[in-house]
Every structure is written in structure tokens, then in C-alpha cells.
Amino acid sequence: MALFGEIGIAQLIKHGEITCGDAVEVVRNDDNMVIVLSDGLGSGVKANILSHLTTKIAAKMISSNISLEDVVETLVQTLPTCQVRGLAYSTFSILRLYNDGVVHLMDFDGCPMLRIRNGQVSVVKTTSQVMVGRTINEAWFRLQEGEFLVIVSDGVTQAGLGLMLPLGLGTEGLIEHIKQYIKHYDNAQTVANQIIDICQTYYLEQPGDDTTVVV
């Protein structure tokens, strides 16, 4: 039986900025769907450009069945590295969902991905390998109808940092809030909106970072 993956996307722009430094790209192919979330280093226009460049390149190459190692190498060669912090200018989380329910997760420096199944929330377990000097986390698994996957930028896990939550929401905090506050799993957009509302609350309506939820 073929499954159809629906997508919900919700974002907050960092307070004081006019554009989001996170980007999401979705490509639907004949037998699969590719979703890429990228978080550009910093915020504002520069982060926006770099995150969009990352998502466009990654989504196009993965959809063309180019190997993950080649994708990583292309991104490393294309995107600059911050000389001051020694960090890549953008992270990426790539999901490839096949119509039979098989999922391939590929991640570089992103937040842990969550899986919601029958009201239970868990972190998707990954294995790590080094590609072109970068540690890439991967996972293969199969989804069932009615399940949700949640990918977030670190604006979600840092929500409330230094404000209502001294260390930020964190992954475990996010899991507990999903269990406690998300009552209606009607569709992916509903879940994405409710998670972003939680973040908005902890940021006291003034987000300290670009914040993105993809469900």
C-alpha cells in the first residue's frame, strides 16, 4: 500500500530581523519525497541565503539519487566556513520518505529528530560516520500510517534560554511538552503550529533565534 506524506511547516523569525535564517525545501518525486531543513549560522539575510543554498543543493542532489557522500562534499566545497568560530555556515537535516513508508534520515549538526506514534514521543536513533571531514548521522526505518516525524532547528531547543528556562527547552523538554500539550494529531500542520506556539510562549513573543518546525 502506498502512503502519502503530508507536511506541516511553521517558523518564527528572530526578533529584530526581517527574514528567517532557516530554510526548508520539499521535492516530491514519483516514489519518494525529499525534505531538507537547513539552519544558517547567525541570522538575517546572510543566514537566509546560505540556508536556502544548502536546501536547494541537497534536495536536488538527493532527488537525483546522488550519493550522500557526494552531497556532503559538494556542500563543503560550496559553502564557506566561519573562520572565527570554525563552524560550517549552515547545518542540514535531510529526510527521504518513500511511498512504501521507508525513511532515510541524513543529518549534519542538526537537532535530534522525533517520532510520534500512538501518542508516544521518542528520539530517532542514528548511527554516525565521517564524510569529507564531517560527522553525518544516518537512520533507516519504516513509518506506519498515522505516525509523525518532527524535525526542528535549534531555535526550538533553545526556546526560553536565559528567560523562562535557564538552559532552554532542550530535546527532552520538547518531548515532554509534546506529550503534555499537543492533544490533537489531526494533521501535520496542526502539530507544527502547536510546537511553534510553545516556542513563542517561552520566547515571551520575542524569539531569540530563527525557529523552524517541520512535521
Side-chain angles (χ1 to χ4, degrees):
M1 180 182 68
L3 298 177
F4 177 81
E6 67 172 20
I7 304 171
I9 301 171
Q11 290 185 307
L12 299 174
I13 298 174
K14 181 179 179 180
H15 181 67
E17 298 289 351
I18 61 173
T19 187
C20 189
D22 299 341
V24 180
E25 183 77 9
V26 179
V27 178
R28 288 189 181 273
N29 304 301
D30 290 341
D31 68 340
N32 69 87
M33 174 172 62
V34 176
I35 305 165
V36 184
L37 166 63
S38 178
D39 180 354
L41 184 63
S43 57
V45 174
K46 186 175 182 178
N48 177 273
I49 292 171
L50 291 168
S51 62
H52 274 86
L53 184 60
T54 299
T55 58
K56 293 287 186 183
I57 292 173
K60 180 64 175 177
M61 294 183 72
I62 291 294
S63 294
S64 300
N65 295 316
I66 295 172
S67 72
L68 178 58
E69 187 165 8
D70 286 342
V71 174
V72 174
E73 183 175 9
T74 299
L75 291 173
V76 168
Q77 292 177 350
T78 303
L79 300 172
T81 298
C82 176
Q83 299 303 315
V84 176
R85 300 188 229 180
L87 299 173
Y89 262 112
S90 60
T91 68
F92 63 79
S93 297
I94 305 170
L95 266 183
R96 193 171 197 181
L97 288 79
Y98 292 88
N99 294 349
D100 62 358
V102 171
V103 179
H104 185 195
L105 166 67
M106 298 152 275
D107 172 80
F108 167 63
D109 261 8
C111 297
M113 185 175 70
L114 304 182
R115 185 175 184 177
I116 303 175
R117 183 176 187 178
N118 298 324
Q120 299 300 309
V121 189
S122 60
V123 174
V124 173
K125 295 181 180 179
T126 60
T127 57
S128 301
Q129 59 179 312
V130 176
M131 295 181 180
V132 201
R134 302 291 192 272
T135 300
I136 306 298
N137 300 309
E138 276 192 283
W140 287 89
F141 55 97
R142 186 182 293 272
L143 279 181
Q144 302 298 320
E145 185 176 359
E147 289 189 63
F148 292 94
L149 297 176
V150 181
I151 319 172
V152 302
S153 66
D154 62 7
V156 173
T157 54
Q158 293 177 8
L161 180 66
L163 299 170
M164 299 176 68
L165 301 170
L167 300 178
L169 184 60
T171 299
E172 292 303 318
L174 175 59
I175 290 173
E176 290 305 312
H177 279 69
I178 290 174
K179 290 179 179 179
Q180 184 174 356
Y181 294 111
I182 297 186
K183 306 300 182 183
H184 304 289
Y185 299 102
D186 301 323
N187 56 65
Q189 190 62 55
T190 297
V191 177
N193 290 343
Q194 292 189 61
I195 293 175
I196 214 73
D197 286 346
I198 291 169
C199 297
Q200 182 81 306
T201 298
Y202 279 116
Y203 275 127
L204 304 179
E205 308 293 326
Q206 296 187 351
D209 194 6
D210 297 306
T211 305
T212 301
V213 180
V214 182
V215 178

